[in-house]
Amino acid sequence: MCGIVGCILKNDDDVAPILFDCISKLEYRGYDSIGLATYSENKIHIKKDKGKIKEVDDKLNLTDMPGNFGIAHVRWATHGDPSKLNSHPHVDEKRNVAVVHNGIIENYLEIKENLISEGHVFKSDTDTEVIPHLIEKFMNEGFDLEHAVRKTIDIIHGAYAIAAISTDEPDKIVATRKDSPLIVGIGEEGYYLASDSPAILKYARDIIYPEKGEIVVLDKNGVVVHDEFDNVVNKEIETINWTPEMAEKEGYDHFMIKEINEQSTAVRNTLTQKENIQEIIDDIDDIQRICFVACGTSYHAALSGKYLIESLAGVPTDVILASEFKYSAKTLNDKTLVVFISQSGETADSLKALDVANETSKTLAIVNVAGSSMTRRAKYVIQTQAGPEIGVAATKTYVAQLTSIYLFAALLAKDDELLKELDKVPDYIDETLESKELIKQLSKRYNYTNDFFYLGRGFTYPTALEGALKLKEISYIHGEGYAAGELKHGPLALIDKRTPVVVIVPPGDAHRKTMSNLEEVKSRGANVLAIGSASDDALKTKASDVISINPEVNELIAPLVYIVPLQLVAYYITIEKEYDPDKPRNLAKCVTVE
């Protein structure tokens, strides 16, 4: 859940301003501290502290550091409180080695005890600090930096992306990864490392994706990658088609509202994957069961997939949280297609589950980030076309995932009418976004509460879950999504005038029963914010407030459109409460530890 950056320039310019710029682009990953390390004149220079990037920079002037190569880090505390000592980069006691690390070293206590018994002195409470001490130990035994890193990863257990520099080998950065993201960028002015592409898009768009256990060496002359047997690996270079501008706010107050407004484009671009999806379906003949595996927002997209595939294609479909997958793994066989959904393609729980599923079943990944671990490990890949998403709370990547699932379900069921309807969805979203100002004003009425309920039936039940998640993620109001028919089985006891209820009521088979549920909560005193068709006159008389969707969108397509006002409600309530929707507390964009 941290972010790392490395850079070595071909010329002798100072690298600190570039490191600072790159690491600032990884704020969205979640962090509580920042640090940089550069090298010059046989010395490693380090500036680091807890706090937001601007706060630390104002105090330490992070761009004023000598040297043309270095590493940088934003940390989200896992071992040890946020503090200057616990911030990265970490060094050995002689300050000959500096390291940044994303992940968790599971056996660090055992390693630390052994190193202390050998005379090593530790200063932090982190698991990471064992890494520079191990590298120093092996370099003292005669290994160069690259092979000292290799010896180190033979000892440590867990997930990691690591970048290291040493005073004994100037003009070199050595990096490696296992179950944590790491990319290598090749630019005109130098060579780069990063946890995610937005960090380096400004400087390099030609990218190499190291595999688990490979060692990457960057120097002024280029990039060399070695496998676990020390053989040079000729890596394919991929060009990222995202521009730096795509990862900027472009005049919006927050990335989240920018990305909400980009959703019609995300859907339109993802619809271009129809041919690729048809090829996958043609190749997975004789599949008797589909199993979705996902986390968080992607889990809600998967739930929509279950409703779609079972109702349209009649294929039994399960949805399993990635963290719970191992308890169901024995039900898999060669007639099962296991579908993994992840924005980043680096979600730790999902990657573990993918490795298990690959042993018995065909696997499909629905992923937004090209070249991510999941795209390289799944048999089939559907690349969503949302572009870079910086806001921690997923918006446009969610609708892109849904679009991919709708395409898959429609093609699997040979439903030409649904395919035609999907082509209209971008316009439906744009028309819904025209209600932003109304939704903003309505949202001001609902920031008083500590609890919110969201109700949906059938296809809109997962939409209720996702709407509730958006609210709790960024506004810190407890939001709970329920299948509307479950009200009498417990939740109704919590409904009173202090508990507003969002009811999702599109036209369709579930409309009448959902309206009955609306009246149930209304009669218990709840304020009801309903989302339904502009032509639904009954809804306007029953609900306290209504967000109207025009033109009329039926319940089958509703999840792709009705989520937009729910995202806007969460966003505007958050703004009213004066919180930053792009950086919710305790959360990170990419969850790379289990």
Side-chain angles (χ1 to χ4, degrees), residues 165-223:
I165 59 175
S166 170
T167 57
D168 292 340
E169 294 190 45
D171 299 318
K172 182 182 289 186
I173 304 173
V174 176
T176 189
R177 67 172 290 270
K178 176 192 171 194
D179 298 333
S180 286
L182 183 70
I183 63 172
V184 179
I186 300 170
E188 292 184 5
E189 305 298 327
Y191 305 96
Y192 306 83
L193 296 164
S195 295
D196 202 355
S197 55
I200 59 174
L201 277 177
K202 181 177 176 181
Y203 305 98
R205 293 173 65 187
D206 288 341
I207 303 296
I208 290 172
Y209 298 95
E211 297 292 343
K212 178 172 65 176
E214 291 180 341
I215 301 289
V216 182
V217 180
L218 279 64
D219 63 24
K220 285 186 173 183
N221 299 314
V223 177

Side-chain angles (χ1 to χ4, degrees), residues 492-505:
L492 201 57
L494 296 173
I495 301 298
D496 60 23
K497 63 182 180 181
R498 296 168 297 178
T499 310
V501 180
V502 175
V503 185
I504 306 167
V505 203

Side-chain angles (χ1 to χ4, degrees), residues 101-168:
H101 162 231
N102 174 18
I104 289 179
I105 308 304
E106 296 170 354
N107 60 335
Y108 84 99
L109 281 174
E110 175 189 344
I111 296 170
K112 187 173 182 177
E113 289 171 2
N114 290 337
L115 289 168
I116 289 172
S117 70
E118 294 174 7
H120 291 258
V121 177
F122 286 78
K123 296 181 179 179
S124 80
D125 300 317
T126 68
D127 55 336
T128 299
E129 196 180 358
V130 301
I131 300 173
H133 284 272
L134 284 172
I135 294 173
E136 181 220 11
K137 168 185 164 73
F138 293 126
M139 292 189 76
N140 286 341
E141 293 174 4
F143 293 93
D144 61 13
L145 178 59
E146 177 185 350
H147 290 89
V149 170
R150 169 68 68 197
K151 294 281 287 182
T152 295
I153 65 173
D154 286 342
I155 292 174
I156 61 177
H157 300 156
Y160 51 77
I162 297 166
I165 59 175
S166 170
T167 57
D168 292 340

Side-chain angles (χ1 to χ4, degrees), residues 399-454:
V399 297
Q401 290 169 353
L402 277 182
T403 303
S404 299
I405 293 167
Y406 269 84
L407 280 173
F408 183 89
L411 291 167
L412 187 65
K414 298 181 173 60
D415 190 330
D416 292 336
E417 287 304 311
L418 177 56
L419 289 172
K420 291 177 183 177
E421 191 68 17
L422 287 174
D423 288 334
K424 303 174 186 175
V425 168
D427 291 335
Y428 293 159
I429 290 174
D430 281 336
E431 291 183 51
T432 302
L433 285 167
E434 291 178 6
S435 301
K436 285 198 298 285
E437 193 57 37
L438 167 67
I439 296 170
K440 180 179 180 180
Q441 297 306 316
L442 283 177
S443 299
K444 292 180 180 180
R445 305 180 196 172
Y446 289 93
N447 70 347
Y448 62 87
T449 185
N450 294 318
D451 299 283
F452 243 105
F453 274 93
Y454 288 70

Side-chain angles (χ1 to χ4, degrees), residues 228-387:
E228 58 184 315
F229 304 108
D230 236 8
N231 301 311
V232 174
V233 182
N234 293 317
K235 303 291 289 186
E236 181 180 354
I237 297 174
E238 299 185 28
T239 300
I240 295 180
N241 57 15
W242 296 348
T243 65
E245 291 75 21
M246 291 171 71
E248 298 296 336
K249 290 181 185 175
E250 298 179 355
Y252 287 95
D253 291 336
H254 301 95
F255 282 112
M256 184 176 180
I257 189 63
K258 171 180 178 280
E259 289 156 3
I260 289 171
N261 279 277
E262 291 172 340
Q263 289 183 114
S264 61
T265 301
V267 172
R268 192 173 286 111
N269 290 344
T270 301
L271 286 171
T272 64
Q273 298 299 295
K274 189 183 303 181
E275 184 176 337
N276 171 46
I277 295 171
Q278 183 63 65
E279 289 176 358
I280 293 170
I281 289 172
D282 292 343
D283 202 48
I284 57 167
D285 56 339
D286 202 25
I287 288 297
Q288 298 174 2
R289 176 193 176 210
I290 293 173
C291 178
F292 283 99
V293 181
C295 310
T297 285
S298 298
Y299 177 76
H300 299 153
L303 285 173
S304 290
K306 173 181 172 66
Y307 281 92
L308 285 164
I309 291 168
E310 290 188 338
S311 63
L312 298 178
V315 179
T317 303
D318 298 310
V319 183
I320 303 173
L321 289 163
S323 58
E324 298 290 309
F325 178 77
K326 64 181 179 180
Y327 307 112
S328 301
K330 290 186 178 180
T331 67
L332 303 182
N333 56 40
D334 60 359
K335 304 297 184 185
T336 304
L337 174 68
V338 189
V339 183
F340 293 83
I341 309 178
S342 169
Q343 183 280 137
S344 67
E346 301 290 352
T347 309
D349 292 323
S350 296
L351 287 172
K352 291 284 188 182
L354 175 56
D355 290 339
V356 173
N358 274 331
E359 296 174 6
T360 58
S361 306
K362 293 180 179 179
T363 56
L364 165 64
I366 299 175
V367 184
N368 193 51
V369 179
S372 57
S373 296
M374 198 170 282
T375 65
R376 301 196 301 277
R377 283 149 75 169
K379 180 174 177 59
Y380 306 103
V381 175
I382 298 173
Q383 190 80 47
T384 58
Q385 303 295 312

